[in-house]
Amino acid sequence: MSDQKKVVLAFSGGLDTTYCAIYLKELGYEVHTVTVNTGGFDAEELASLEVKSKSLGAVSHQNVDATEEFYRKSIKYLIAGNVLKNNTYPLSVSAERVFQATAIAKEAIKQGATAIAHGSTGAGNDQVRFDMIFNILCPEVSIITPIRDKKLSREEEIQFLIDHGVSGNWEKALYSVNQGLWGTSVGGKETLTSDQYLPETAFPSQLEKDGSEVIEIGFEKGEPVAVNGEKLSPVQAIEKINELANPYGVGRDIHVGDTIIGIKGRVGFEAAAPLIVIKAHHALEKHTLTKNQLLLKDQYSLTYGNLLHEGHYLDPVMRDIEAFYESTQKYVSGTVNVQLAPYRFYIIGIQSPNDLMQSSFGKYGEMNNSWSGEDVKGFSKIFGNQNMIYHKVHQADE
């Protein structure tokens, strides 16, 4: 078959991309599927995806492991920035899409494909993230999006697959689940409303433990490198925290936000490790960074999170912010104790040789060893001097 009909399909094996594989073949394309693993698939699942791809008529299938790169180039900075979109969502899917799209673009170039396909709908953010990366990295390759172009509902896709003899757990397929190292998103009929919560069974992890337990997370220069005293790589540490916290049903919520295309959207998520790591890291920072470092980090994190959410990872300003983050993490080392319990967790406290809350300098609310009461009297006058002048000048108007 001519290379002019070769298409590389971003393939997750879910409902949307399964539909795309069959549909593209029916259009006469030579379909080559690529699965980019950002921490959501184990070896058995990857092997089954290749089998599934071939059964759907794909000519070839590639599994690309981008997990370490995803951590090194993105998650590391999401932790450093304590990034939570709208103070809620750890950008679980937003972040990984850039690396998946980049790997797909490279594979399309490598194979000499004239088209790339993905299974994004016309209502969400992923369509923009994928399209934008493809347009930047391989603008000469056309983009095909069957689900978006045909305005398909999940029910219509399911019926299409049934008609084509494709078996599957269609009840589960009513929920869109995207799993990765940095959390799992869950979308379904409830997230299309403003008042309904996802059912328990929609979440990948179920509550299996009662009672509580304390875990210890070790950080070096802002990166998680140990759990309960065991030295691990950051990726392994994240996986270990998930393993310990998921049985408690920790890290579930529904994020409400503004999509890139200008509409409000809701998405459920399960992100035990991301939420625990960010909150633990933030607690450690509050002990080891100065007031102005924390203030600037909060401002930069809002910008960094918004840009990443909207797919602008390749904007050079992202590298500038990351360089700032690197500088701030020099002394963010120590351990943080976290209490786990059913559906919740909280930070107990931290230990760090860089803790700025040293009793030798004073005890909050009791005494200090760095200045006298007379010093404070003079400082307080100077500190409020401009506001005093303002109110004197405008006292007749008050």
Side-chain angles (χ1 to χ4, degrees):
M1 185 176 290
S2 169
D3 282 351
Q4 291 183 340
K5 298 291 288 183
K6 179 184 286 189
V7 61
V8 169
L9 169 63
F11 187 73
S12 67
L15 177 63
D16 296 328
T17 58
T18 299
Y19 176 97
C20 289
I22 297 175
Y23 179 76
L24 290 167
K25 184 182 177 184
E26 288 189 345
L27 288 183
Y29 281 96
E30 181 180 299
V31 180
H32 299 261
T33 57
V34 179
T35 297
V36 183
N37 184 21
T38 47
F41 301 105
D42 59 28
E44 183 178 344
E45 289 169 328
L46 289 170
S48 67
L49 280 174
E50 182 168 3
V51 172
K52 181 173 185 177
S53 169
K54 297 292 181 61
S55 73
L56 296 172
V59 175
S60 72
H61 177 80
Q62 297 288 331
N63 286 321
V64 178
D65 191 349
T67 307
E68 288 290 342
E69 180 185 23
F70 179 36
Y71 171 80
R72 188 176 71 255
K73 293 184 177 181
S74 183
I75 293 176
K76 174 182 175 180
Y77 299 109
L78 293 175
I79 296 171
N82 307 308
V83 177
L84 292 174
K85 179 70 173 172
N86 290 10
N87 296 313
T88 304
Y89 181 49
L91 297 182
S92 303
V93 174
S94 316
E96 67 183 11
R97 289 297 188 245
V98 172
F99 296 89
Q100 292 168 343
T102 299
I104 297 295
K106 289 179 179 178
E107 191 62 31
I109 294 169
K110 178 181 176 182
Q111 294 200 29
T114 56
I116 297 180
H118 61 87
S120 300
T121 70
N125 293 315
D126 283 345
Q127 57 178 327
V128 178
R129 295 173 184 136
F130 276 109
D131 284 6
M132 186 159 55
I133 294 296
F134 296 157
N135 286 326
I136 292 171
L137 298 181
C138 51
E140 70 286 351
V141 178
S142 62
I143 302 170
I144 305 173
T145 53
I147 311 301
R148 174 173 64 184
D149 296 344
K150 294 171 69 66
K151 300 180 181 179
L152 297 172
S153 68
R154 295 186 71 78
E155 289 76 12
E156 288 173 318
E157 293 177 61
I158 289 171
Q159 189 59 54
F160 176 88
L161 296 184
I162 292 173
D163 293 343
H164 284 74
V166 180
S167 60
N169 185 348
W170 304 127
E171 181 179 350
K172 185 177 180 181
L174 291 173
Y175 291 93
S176 175
V177 179
N178 294 282
Q179 189 168 358
L181 178 66
W182 204 233
T184 300
S185 70
V186 183
K189 61 182 180 179
E190 292 84 5
T191 56
L192 298 177
T193 72
S194 296
D195 63 340
Q196 296 180 38
Y197 199 76
L198 289 163
E200 180 82 10
T201 53
F203 293 98
S205 300
Q206 301 295 298
L207 180 64
E208 298 174 358
K209 283 190 174 182
D210 54 15
S212 65
E213 67 178 286
V214 176
I215 63 172
E216 180 190 85
I217 304 173
F219 290 87
E220 288 183 9
K221 295 184 177 180
E223 297 187 71
V225 294
V227 178
N228 292 337
E230 179 185 2
K231 286 285 187 180
L232 300 166
S233 72
V235 169
Q236 290 171 332
I238 292 166
E239 292 172 339
K240 183 66 175 179
I241 294 166
N242 264 329
E243 179 186 322
L244 294 170
N246 280 341
Y248 287 101
V250 166
R252 299 175 178 182
D253 206 343
I254 290 184
H255 166 59
V256 182
D258 298 285
T259 65
I260 301 169
I261 58 176
I263 60 176
K264 294 286 185 181
R266 295 175 87 218
V267 63
F269 65 88
E270 177 183 280
L275 292 181
I276 291 170
V277 170
I278 285 174
K279 292 298 185 182
H281 174 268
H282 194 202
L284 186 59
E285 279 196 330
K286 286 187 282 188
H287 282 264
T288 57
L289 298 186
T290 66
K291 175 176 71 175
N292 287 327
Q293 282 179 305
L294 291 167
L295 178 65
L296 278 177
K297 284 187 81 268
D298 284 346
Q299 295 173 17
Y300 279 125
S301 294
L302 179 62
T303 299
Y304 190 85
N306 284 339
L307 286 173
L308 185 57
H309 172 72
E310 295 185 351
H312 289 293
Y313 176 81
L314 297 178
D315 191 312
V317 75
M318 300 293 276
R319 310 292 83 77
D320 299 331
I321 298 174
E322 289 162 4
F324 168 71
Y325 284 159
E326 290 276 6
S327 175
T328 65
Q329 298 305 290
K330 183 178 180 180
Y331 298 117
V332 185
S333 298
T335 59
V336 183
N337 287 335
V338 182
Q339 179 100 35
L340 303 177
Y343 302 118
R344 67 192 187 278
F345 72 92
Y346 62 89
I347 308 300
I348 296 174
I350 72 103
Q351 289 186 323
S352 171
N354 305 318
D355 190 354
L356 300 179
M357 188 175 161
Q358 300 283 352
S359 60
S360 59
F361 296 107
K363 294 181 179 179
Y364 178 72
E366 296 183 24
M367 66 184 74
N368 72 80
N369 301 319
S370 300
W371 58 84
S372 69
E374 290 301 312
D375 292 333
V376 176
K377 290 179 183 179
F379 171 77
S380 299
K381 288 183 178 180
I382 296 169
F383 199 51
N385 189 53
Q386 188 172 77
N387 281 333
M388 181 274 291
I389 295 171
Y390 175 90
H391 285 283
K392 283 284 188 182
V393 171
H394 299 290
Q395 61 185 348
D397 300 325
E398 294 179 353

